[in-house]
Amino acid sequence: APGGGLMNAMLSRVRAQTSGGATALALFVAFASVFFLAIGSNPLAMLAEIARSAWGDSYALGETLLRATPILLCALATIVPARAGLISVGAEGQLYFGALAGTGLLLASGAPASAWMLPAVLLAGAIGGALWALTPALLRVGANANETISTLLLNYVAALLVTWLVYGPWKNPQSQGWPASIEFPMEARLPLLWESRAHAGLLIALVLAVVLHVLLTRSRCGLELDLMRSNPRAALLAGFGQRRRIVLALLAGGLLAGLAGIAETAAVQGRLQADLSNGAGLSGFLVAWLARNHALRAIAWALVVGGLLAAGDGLQMNANIPSSATLVVQGLLFVAVLLASGLRDWRHARAGDSHG
């Protein structure tokens, strides 16, 4: 029966995804254990410490949510262009320029204590991120320049521009040598959640993930982007304005990453600083890949990666291991998922050959 065939297909897909997840988890534990043994630590104790430091209590969970928020927004900033067949690695630079634009508006307005200050700063940050994505978008449609290279190079430009500003023209003269802008007034600060350092940017990111999922999977716009990615020639024959959609996809990604930057500045830092990203843009690219460019899956992966990064402080304090070890563990997670995906594809290919 048609209904039975559909149900069997759905069950088969769920089994494949569950099997792939279990394989990735087993490989990750094995790789992480080898790494911890190599640095002279007990693997089980280290894995337990990571879990405790990331999700073990309310404080740990708050720190995980804090780290996951910009990662999720940067993952969404990567997913939107990816659904159009574009590989953008520019979320880091767009994050920085979004923070710069929002701070610039605050400084230009004199930082008034006004209720409109927060939405205006957030909007300016989002627009700033989109503007930073405009250059690679125009290069892509006008000169067929590779968007991966242009977005990557612009990351460094944006970060250095912020560094110059906080060391120079925008430096707070009362910061006693610390390179940062003036503090944001409370009217321009995102509220905190649940008596933790997690902030309302998390709720914004979750809502945007759901909205993007609906747009990318249930709307004409999402269908057109999928067609552009999977069959550009058919999209061209169908009369889709590919150049316009390329520009819009990259601008939408820049808007999301810019929002991540100003949210970090207006909540966590409270001022513009040179090291505001903590690698959120590149971690977001990793999360987008792990989620296979699926907006809802990106939520779970952002929590996992955010938890690994939040656990760095716990490892440093409780296990005398440098917090940078969590970056190695994050890389091992990527390798484990990559290998599990390769094994799954290999098994599917073997199964197809055997049926053939």
Side-chain angles (χ1 to χ4, degrees):
L6 178 61
M7 181 62 69
N8 289 335
M10 292 176 62
L11 290 174
S12 176
R13 184 175 179 181
V14 170
R15 281 195 297 267
Q17 291 179 347
T18 303
S19 174
T23 302
L25 178 61
L27 289 171
F28 168 67
V29 171
F31 292 159
S33 298
V34 171
F35 168 67
F36 287 127
L37 284 172
I39 63 175
S41 300
N42 184 323
L44 293 179
M46 292 300 99
L47 291 171
E49 181 60 35
I50 288 176
R52 191 195 68 78
S53 298
W55 307 287
D57 53 37
S58 58
Y59 174 79
L61 183 58
E63 291 299 296
T64 293
L65 295 175
L66 175 69
R67 299 298 294 269
T69 299
I71 292 174
L72 175 57
L73 285 169
C74 288
L76 298 177
T78 304
I79 287 172
V80 176
R83 295 297 289 256
L86 304 167
I87 303 176
S88 170
V89 291
E92 186 91 357
Q94 294 150 14
L95 179 152
Y96 270 101
F97 203 79
L100 183 155
T103 304
L105 175 67
L106 182 80
L107 296 175
S109 64
S114 172
W116 61 265
M117 200 67 239
L118 177 58
V121 164
L122 293 177
L123 180 61
I127 293 174
L131 288 176
W132 199 248
L134 181 61
T135 298
L138 294 178
L139 287 172
R140 176 68 170 80
V141 299
N144 200 29
N146 187 293
E147 73 280 354
T148 306
I149 296 174
S150 59
T151 53
L152 177 63
L153 294 177
L154 283 172
N155 288 341
Y156 299 101
V157 178
L160 290 172
L161 185 56
V162 169
T163 300
W164 171 70
L165 286 171
V166 298
Y167 274 90
W170 289 2
K171 183 179 178 181
N172 182 4
Q174 300 177 351
S175 63
Q176 299 180 348
W178 183 259
S181 71
I182 63 170
E183 282 196 55
F184 279 37
M186 291 307 298
E187 290 77 9
R189 303 281 291 269
L190 281 166
L192 302 181
L193 304 174
W194 310 304
E195 298 182 353
S196 70
R197 292 208 303 156
H199 53 83
L202 172 66
L203 303 181
I204 296 173
L206 293 174
V207 169
L208 287 173
V210 174
V211 170
L212 276 177
H213 171 71
V214 173
L215 288 176
L216 293 174
T217 61
R218 299 287 188 270
S219 73
R220 176 185 173 88
C221 173
L223 177 62
E224 291 174 352
L225 291 179
D226 285 342
L227 185 60
M228 281 179 56
R229 182 190 71 251
S230 59
N231 196 333
R233 181 174 176 80
L236 187 63
L237 292 174
F240 295 165
Q242 288 184 294
R243 291 188 173 188
R244 181 171 64 89
R245 283 168 176 79
I246 286 173
V247 171
L248 289 176
L250 287 170
L251 291 184
L255 185 147
L256 292 163
L259 187 58
I262 192 57
E264 285 295 286
T265 306
V268 182
Q269 312 279 357
R271 67 197 78 192
L272 183 65
Q273 295 181 192
D275 55 350
L276 68 98
S277 83
N278 289 316
L282 298 179
S283 294
F285 183 85
L286 167 66
V287 165
W289 187 91
L290 292 172
R292 292 177 173 264
N293 297 322
H294 190 287
L296 293 185
R297 291 179 198 154
I299 297 174
W301 279 113
L303 291 173
V304 171
V305 174
L308 288 176
L309 296 176
D313 293 337
L315 287 178
Q316 192 168 17
M317 291 186 295
N318 302 326
N320 294 320
I321 290 179
S323 60
S324 57
T326 57
L327 297 178
V328 178
V329 175
Q330 179 181 323
L332 294 175
L333 174 65
F334 179 81
V335 172
V337 175
L338 181 65
L339 185 56
S341 177
L343 289 173
R344 183 181 61 188
D345 293 342
W346 176 72
R347 284 197 297 265
H348 287 170
R350 281 195 64 186
D353 291 343
S354 62
H355 288 308

